[in-house]
Amino acid sequence: MRLPPGPPTRTALITAAALAPPTVALLLLVALSWGPLMTLDEDIAGTTHRWAVDAPSATHVCRILTDWLWDPWTMRALCAVAVVRLVLRHAARGLALWLVAACALGTLLQQGLKWAVGRDRPVWPDPVDSAHYAAFPSGHALTATVVCGLLLWLLHRYDAGRAVRCTAVALAVVSVVGVGLTRVWLGVHWPSDVVGGWLIGALVVALAVGAYGRWDDRGPS
């Protein structure tokens, strides 16, 4: 049976076109270490770090959330569950492969940009957490945005009930925003790293949905 159509391909591509300029602009500003942005990052990060040091209980909760619930590997495991469900329940092998490819693209972009930009993470005399690799973009923020965005699109495509979709949207918003805030709170990312992760992740989702729509227009999935 033909599934209800997803968001129009044109809408996805227009969204990607709208996201591209701010994403590229932020990337260039970070790569060039633009003074006003660096100062803003330092001011915000410094303030939140002081709060984190003074509120150990809240900091402990943030570490649990960011290291377990919203960790990139947790998000990838959620994506893997969706892939298995697409194959076993819906026999949608093409859609499952698309989901794997889109998530892989997000990971490749994340690692490639970290290597290319090579931005140092914040360094504190009294750190409350630690992280490895370069800072920009935030892998936690990017991965959460990609996985949550793609899964929300799949729920729409398979016409999930209103209650399910509303709950999923609420959980996705809390997860994407929450993981970004915890990374800054824990002092392992600059705010622009998180914003970059959100923008790049949203751009990947829009491009992936648009590309699938172009392919799907040629025949049933």
Side-chain angles (χ1 to χ4, degrees), residues 116-138:
V117 176
R119 187 184 198 186
D120 292 333
R121 291 181 183 267
V123 176
W124 311 105
D126 50 353
V128 297
D129 201 357
S130 62
H132 305 290
Y133 310 113
F136 186 92
S138 165

Side-chain angles (χ1 to χ4, degrees), residues 119-184:
R119 187 184 198 186
D120 292 333
R121 291 181 183 267
V123 176
W124 311 105
D126 50 353
V128 297
D129 201 357
S130 62
H132 305 290
Y133 310 113
F136 186 92
S138 165
H140 281 68
L142 190 155
T143 304
T145 303
V146 169
V147 171
C148 289
L150 294 175
L151 294 184
L152 287 177
W153 181 80
L154 286 172
L155 288 176
H156 176 87
R157 180 174 177 81
Y158 280 91
D159 200 24
R162 179 179 176 83
V164 172
R165 282 182 290 160
C166 288
T167 301
V169 168
L171 290 174
V173 171
V174 169
S175 297
V176 171
V177 174
V179 74
L181 296 179
T182 61
R183 302 310 284 167
V184 177

Side-chain angles (χ1 to χ4, degrees), residues 2 7 11 20 28 68-70 82 96-97 117 120 132 149 167 169 218 221:
R2 181 70 171 168
T11 300
L28 290 175
W68 295 98
L69 185 61
W70 296 326
L97 182 60
V117 176
D120 292 333
H132 305 290
T167 301
V169 168
R218 301 185 183 126
S221 58

Side-chain angles (χ1 to χ4, degrees), residues 3-4 22 31 48 55 79 95 106 125 132 174 199 211 218:
L3 296 171
T48 54
C79 179
L95 195 53
H132 305 290
V174 169
L199 285 172
R218 301 185 183 126

Side-chain angles (χ1 to χ4, degrees), residues 12-39:
L13 295 177
I14 290 174
T15 301
L19 287 169
T23 303
V24 173
L26 180 60
L27 172 61
L28 290 175
L29 292 177
V30 170
L32 295 174
S33 299
W34 188 55
L37 178 60
M38 300 299 104
T39 299

